[in-house]
Amino acid sequence: MSSTIQNNTSLLEFGKKHVTAGLARSVDGVMTKGAGSYVEFGDGKVFLDFTTGIGVTGLGAYTMFPRNDSSHVEHFEGHCHPKCSIAFTEPYLQLIERLLPMMPDPSLDSFFFWNSGSEAIEAAMKMARLFTGKQNIIAMQGAYHGRTFGAMAVTKSKTIYSEGFHPLMPGVFSIPYPYWHQLSLPPTTEQSEITAQCLNQLHLVLSQQTAPRDTAAILIEPLLGEGGYVPAPAEFLKGVREICDKEGILLIIDEVQSGFARTGKNFSIEHAGVRPDIMTIAKGLANGFPLSGVVSRKELTDKLKPGSMGGTYAGNAVACAAAVAVADVLKEEKILENVNARSKELFAGLNELRSKPSVSPVILDVRGQGLMVAVEFASPTGTSPYDSFVKPSAPARLSSRIAKRCQEKGLLILTTSVYEVIRFIPPLNITQEDLNKGINIFSEAVEEVVREG
């Protein structure tokens, strides 16, 4: 780094001046290093990290490889980028070998690697249109799939991602995600009732807006991410699968944030036992390296003409080697066991907080799977005057104030959705001690902010 911007303060100011205003930051600082469940900033402050780069560095820290082992890259030094359209690379093929036994259904046997989750969504929709000869895509209200042009069109979590960029990609329709708040139903509503309402809306869309003969795919996050960390009921996902099979529509499952042990299974869709036709992966796939993937059935992907898929950096060999290391660590270090053990402790801690009389009136829901968990708070204004869960006595802006207080206490944590929601995305290999520390900081922050009103 140039000597003119060496110290932290000048580096921070340099960034503010020259990095586009379109990027948001939750911390006004320069992150310099990380180790385990902790990250350090240029000013010397150290934080317990419950963000993991928004579900990316699932194996902890902000390091190049998930363990101090360079053996995955040594053997291809000197030819780390032959480009996917020129030749195979060994790490690319090794990664497929590691991922095949992890797939939620054995039919998923054909892989294409790209750089980001958004690109994976673009590729999945592109494939669906070709495989079916149909155009339209049905997405979910509250969904997030990315900020590139096609992905932006199927993103329905917040308008900030598409505001000012219209017209978007045509042929996109949406139905409600099975989330009680969006449906104006109490959080205690039976999943069967929520499922029935949403499947009814899907049938209506197919009879009123986009006929099955025009519909290529239905795109779903099995655990809603940016929209509020809401797991879809298994019966809803099974119902969508049945409709897809009956109508010749492909089911695209977006596991970009929920995949790779995050929910206590290799992939969240396993909780429902539903088969995807196409599945997208990214984030935790390579622990911080830019790598994503689209997985489908060979009988479908054989319809693609050579050259119709690709990209300059698609399936970069170093990124694939990092993903191979991730897959090995997930298996050898029994990460799923740790996720499920820590998940029970996290839910126990959050529900204990919820039971306290001082805060229980403002906690509407504790939900999630594995270590992809959320707490939803009440709001005095809601999203509109017609929000069924407006609570005039609740303190304003609870989620953002609590997240800020957690930062002041040394815990990085994020809000999400248009509602008052805080999400927990700690490292998958977090220790019991560090998890409890984070729960205690969060609980203190909640009680303090609620008390302040």
Side-chain angles (χ1 to χ4, degrees), residues 3-65:
S3 60
T4 59
I5 54 171
Q6 281 184 349
N7 69 71
N8 180 71
T9 302
S10 61
L11 186 59
L12 179 59
E13 293 307 312
F14 180 85
K16 290 179 179 179
K17 180 178 179 181
H18 293 288
V19 174
T20 180
L23 289 175
R25 292 179 300 279
S26 58
V27 180
D28 198 20
V30 180
M31 191 180 291
T32 55
K33 58 184 176 182
S37 298
Y38 293 85
V39 293
E40 185 174 334
F41 283 74
D43 59 4
K45 291 180 181 177
V46 176
F47 293 86
L48 176 59
D49 180 29
F50 273 24
T51 72
T52 55
I54 313 185
V56 175
T57 53
L59 297 176
Y62 285 74
T63 54
M64 292 180 65
F65 279 79

Side-chain angles (χ1 to χ4, degrees), residues 147-227:
R147 279 170 271 207
T148 53
F149 206 69
M152 186 168 56
V154 290
T155 288
K156 308 292 182 182
S157 57
K158 293 177 183 175
T159 55
I160 185 63
Y161 303 122
S162 59
E163 182 180 358
F165 302 121
H166 289 248
L168 304 179
M169 182 184 78
V172 175
F173 302 83
S174 62
I175 66 166
Y177 191 87
Y179 173 19
W180 57 266
H181 202 151
Q182 291 183 166
L183 296 168
S184 296
L185 295 171
T188 54
T189 303
E190 292 291 332
Q191 289 192 342
S192 58
E193 182 178 345
I194 292 175
T195 293
Q197 287 210 22
C198 293
L199 290 179
N200 181 55
Q201 289 298 315
L202 176 55
H203 279 287
L204 283 174
V205 166
L206 289 171
S207 60
Q208 294 176 329
Q209 300 181 49
T210 173
R213 64 174 293 179
D214 297 319
T215 306
I218 299 174
L219 172 60
I220 303 177
E221 296 168 280
L223 200 163
L224 195 66
E226 170 74 10

